[in-house]
Amino acid sequence: MLPTRSADRRAQQAHTTDAFGSAHALPSLLKIVPYYGSGEIRQMGAPVASSDPDALGRLSDRIRVGLAGTDRSSVRPLLEGLFGGRFAQRHTEKTMFRDAYSLGEGSGDGVPYAGLIHPENPQSGPYGGTSLVWFPTTEAGSLIGLVVGTRGLSPDEGILMRPGHRRRIAALRRYLAQRRVEVWTKPDPAALGVLVPKTVRERFAGFDGTFQRYGREMYCTAVVPSDPAKARWVVQAFLDLYAHERGWQVLKPYEAEYDRLHGELRSDLFPSVDAEVVHRLLQSRHFVILQGPPGTGKTRLAEEIRERFFGGQGMTVQFHPAVTYEDFVVGLTPDARAGSLRFAVRSGWLLEAARAARERPFLLTIDELNRADLGKVLGEAIYLFEPGEIGSERPRSIRLPHQAEGMSTLDLPANLFVLATMNTADRSIAPLDLAIRRRFAFVHVPPDREVVVAQGLGLATEVFDRLTDIFVEHAPPEALELLPGHAYFIAKDTADLLSRFRFELLPLLDEYLRQGFLGPASSELSAVRDSIEDAVHQFEHAASTK
């Protein structure tokens, strides 16, 4: 949460919390946008009046030309025009606007800038906290970005040190870079001792003075394109992200544009996984691991790939701590058929799969790969897992310790594909060592919100969104992998859903809290957990009194 909130915003947040308590009547006039944010909601009846319908366009035109334009008027009216022109007028405070274009006049060594800052700062001079600023130049146009004031993090420690903000600016960088915009972000916005890297400064030609003066304070910056339409789009992306962090209400005519941006950023945080993409990866790499938290459909996806692309030809094996080399590769097994105890050679799952793959494409699926001691289970067979040499003229092979069904050596045929699943939330499991990791391609399978929404249970979507909000906004990087998957929210009806919450989701959240997996975010998670429990109890009480 931000350090300061207006009274109406606090009322909105209270409304959100109150609305969640009912399992029967979800708020029909409220829309959560975006679900991964700070829990913001917007009334669908938001004001639609716009005193300046092209406020953003005029501002972006002024920004893109830098100091080369003929307009020498103050940029402050353009910034003020955003409020009532794009955002609700009530968010305006006179101390939040900065226009230091005059620093570019004459032969001084000042660095001109303009932008939006935290309103608790003084009207002039150095400021603190995060800001949305652009730096105009005469020759190179403008550099726009998020910058920490030279007075330090205060009063925006709550934004700058929050994992959710770091995740959003990283998503913004990828979003802009995919569209050929020169952009850079600092991994940690609060790391004021870290300069913009030399390679970045060289890439952003024409902004040497800006980097020399503010290279420690910048943490997300991009070159504003000269093309008017593209410039508007880049400025809009930065402005709407900044507005989200500040909690500004966007006016109704611009909701779709605002939501589209945050939808793109959300998709970057939780990209959907397509069976066709995984199949293509299997064809090129042969060995693929589907990794993600529990309940995200990894096993189901593996089964779909086997049925759709391998005609059902394959086998699934489950790894666990008791699985051995003898189970997976080859070993001896007791055989008492001859009336006395003797040992027979038994082919392991890998040998069986390799034998089947000599006739047709075959998929070996290994469920819960990381639950076994892979060094012991694979043994020397790890040497065979080299994607670049499968099907080559001289494929790798190993000598087996026991001859099995006429096989004394083993190589992996070109028609053999291995698809494994891995639960990233199990902290009792040691991470894969690098020798094994480099031989596999990894596909992250995140929770899929669309699956939850598609079933039409509003409570399921709301609880999913609230938990996602907590994890994205507050959880450290390693804890984000603990976000419960969409399978926990799939049900036939509300009664079935609340039963799943009581007997599956709540015990999982309790375990997370007991183990302290979310660290500082535990209190936030505990509050949502209690709200889920209250909804379950209210439903059960209502059902028992009918």
Side-chain angles (χ1 to χ4, degrees):
M1 293 296 178
L2 298 181
T4 58
R5 298 291 190 192
S6 61
D8 63 302
R9 220 162 97 71
R10 286 193 293 270
Q12 283 186 336
Q13 290 169 336
H15 189 182
T16 307
T17 302
D18 295 341
F20 178 65
S22 172
H24 306 284
L26 292 173
S28 59
L29 298 179
L30 298 179
K31 181 171 66 170
I32 299 174
V33 181
Y35 78 82
Y36 59 85
S38 57
E40 291 294 330
I41 59 174
R42 290 207 303 276
Q43 298 284 355
M44 293 300 286
V48 299
S50 175
S51 60
D52 185 354
D54 195 30
L56 177 59
R58 271 189 278 280
L59 177 63
S60 64
D61 281 343
R62 184 68 181 275
I63 292 173
R64 70 181 175 83
V65 299
L67 298 176
T70 58
D71 189 351
R72 291 293 181 264
S73 62
S74 171
V75 299
R76 185 184 179 99
L78 296 175
L79 291 168
E80 292 174 341
L82 293 171
F83 299 90
R86 186 175 185 84
F87 306 106
Q89 186 72 46
R90 68 177 181 272
H91 299 303
T92 307
E93 296 187 46
K94 63 181 181 180
T95 54
M96 63 193 292
F97 306 107
R98 283 295 173 95
D99 177 2
Y101 263 54
S102 60
L103 293 174
E105 298 174 357
S107 57
D109 58 355
V111 176
Y113 71 93
L116 299 162
I117 67 172
H118 195 291
E120 290 183 6
N121 283 288
Q123 293 191 47
S124 62
Y127 66 86
T130 188
S131 59
L132 174 59
V133 173
W134 74 91
F135 301 94
T137 68
T138 303
E139 302 292 337
S142 294
L143 200 64
I144 191 170
L146 299 171
V147 181
V148 178
T150 54
R151 288 176 58 181
L153 306 183
S154 179
D156 280 329
E157 301 95 330
I159 293 177
L160 293 164
M161 300 181 71
R162 195 170 60 222
H165 184 56
R166 289 198 297 270
R167 292 182 177 118
R168 276 186 288 281
I169 63 169
L172 179 65
R173 178 189 61 78
R174 291 186 287 268
Y175 171 75
L176 295 175
Q178 288 166 7
R179 292 155 178 82
R180 300 180 181 276
V181 175
E182 288 286 358
V183 60
W184 167 82
T185 58
K186 185 185 292 186
D188 181 3
L192 298 181
V194 178
L195 280 165
V196 176
K198 181 181 177 182
T199 54
V200 175
R201 298 196 302 270
E202 291 173 347
R203 206 171 81 226
F204 288 34
F207 299 99
D208 293 344
T210 304
F211 288 129
Q212 289 173 12
R213 179 67 182 85
Y214 296 111
R216 295 183 187 277
E217 289 79 17
M218 293 177 168
Y219 68 91
C220 179
T221 190
V223 177
V224 179
S226 58
D227 175 74
K230 199 170 182 180
R232 184 192 186 281
W233 172 72
V234 170
V235 173
Q236 179 244 325
F238 275 95
L239 182 62
D240 284 351
L241 177 60
Y242 187 75
H244 171 78
E245 302 295 352
R246 292 289 182 215
W248 296 340
Q249 181 184 4
V250 66
L251 299 182
K252 193 171 183 61
Y254 309 105
E255 281 186 354
E257 187 176 50
Y258 178 96
D259 292 349
R260 192 159 48 247
L261 168 73
H262 287 287
E264 292 277 0
L265 300 186
R266 182 179 65 231
S267 297
D268 181 90
L269 290 171
F270 297 104
S272 59
V273 178
D274 183 79
E276 249 180 69
V277 172
V278 178
H279 176 245
R280 287 199 298 270
L281 185 60
L282 272 171
Q283 295 299 310
S284 62
R285 289 298 307 271
H286 277 269
F287 314 121
V288 175
I289 292 176
L290 303 175
Q291 63 175 359
T296 55
K298 298 180 292 295
T299 302
R300 183 185 295 272
L301 178 58
E303 291 172 352
E304 178 187 349
I305 291 169
R306 184 181 66 219
E307 295 303 318
R308 280 183 59 185
F309 302 105
F310 291 87
Q313 299 298 317
M315 63 186 293
T316 299
V317 299
Q318 177 99 39
F319 272 17
H320 51 79
V323 171
T324 65
Y325 175 89
E326 287 74 15
D327 297 315
F328 188 64
V329 184
V330 66
L332 299 177
T333 185
D335 181 3
R337 288 177 300 175
S340 61
L341 182 62
R342 65 188 185 90
F343 290 92
V345 176
R346 182 188 64 184
S347 296
W349 300 320
L350 183 61
L351 260 69
E352 292 176 10
R355 191 176 292 114
R358 299 197 187 279
E359 301 176 6
R360 59 190 179 276
F362 190 89
L363 181 66
L364 172 61
T365 302
I366 304 174
D367 201 35
E368 301 283 5
L369 173 79
N370 54 332
R371 293 192 64 223
D373 185 336
L374 295 181
K376 293 181 178 179
V377 170
L378 296 176
E380 73 278 6
I382 187 62
Y383 175 72
L384 303 177
F385 286 74
E386 194 65 51
E389 302 203 19
I390 299 294
S392 64
E393 293 182 1
R394 299 181 61 185
R396 293 189 176 195
S397 65
I398 59 170
R399 180 169 295 279
L400 298 173
H402 311 286
Q403 186 171 355
E405 298 183 30
M407 295 175 60
S408 58
T409 62
L410 172 64
D411 63 88
L412 301 185
N415 276 336
L416 177 63
F417 302 88
V418 178
L419 182 60
T421 70
M422 191 167 83
N423 179 3
T424 54
D426 195 337
R427 298 299 182 85
S428 66
I429 298 172
L432 300 183
D433 67 51
L434 292 179
I436 295 173
R437 181 171 288 275
R438 77 169 186 82
R439 288 170 161 83
F440 286 84
F442 287 78
V443 176
H444 186 68
V445 184
D448 189 344
R449 184 177 188 265
E450 297 307 314
V451 173
V452 181
V453 173
Q455 67 181 339
L457 292 174
L459 182 61
T461 302
E462 186 173 358
V463 175
F464 180 89
D465 287 352
R466 300 229 172 171
L467 282 174
T468 303
D469 174 34
I470 294 301
F471 277 83
V472 170
E473 201 65 27
H474 302 286
E478 64 278 6
L480 189 61
E481 295 290 347
L482 301 174
L483 177 62
H486 49 265
Y488 286 93
F489 304 88
I490 304 302
K492 295 176 292 186
D493 50 36
T494 301
D496 184 37
L497 176 68
L498 289 168
S499 177
R500 297 206 67 185
F501 283 175
R502 179 179 181 182
F503 297 109
E504 298 175 42
L505 181 61
L506 286 174
L508 178 69
L509 300 181
D510 287 340
E511 184 63 24
Y512 286 176
L513 291 167
R514 189 161 39 249
Q515 298 286 343
F517 286 156
L518 264 70
S522 293
S523 61
E524 299 281 352
L525 179 61
S526 181
V528 175
R529 179 253 177 240
D530 290 346
S531 295
I532 298 171
E533 184 178 58
D534 292 345
V536 171
H537 289 164
Q538 287 176 19
F539 182 85
E540 291 176 343
H541 176 73
S544 66
T545 55
K546 284 183 178 179

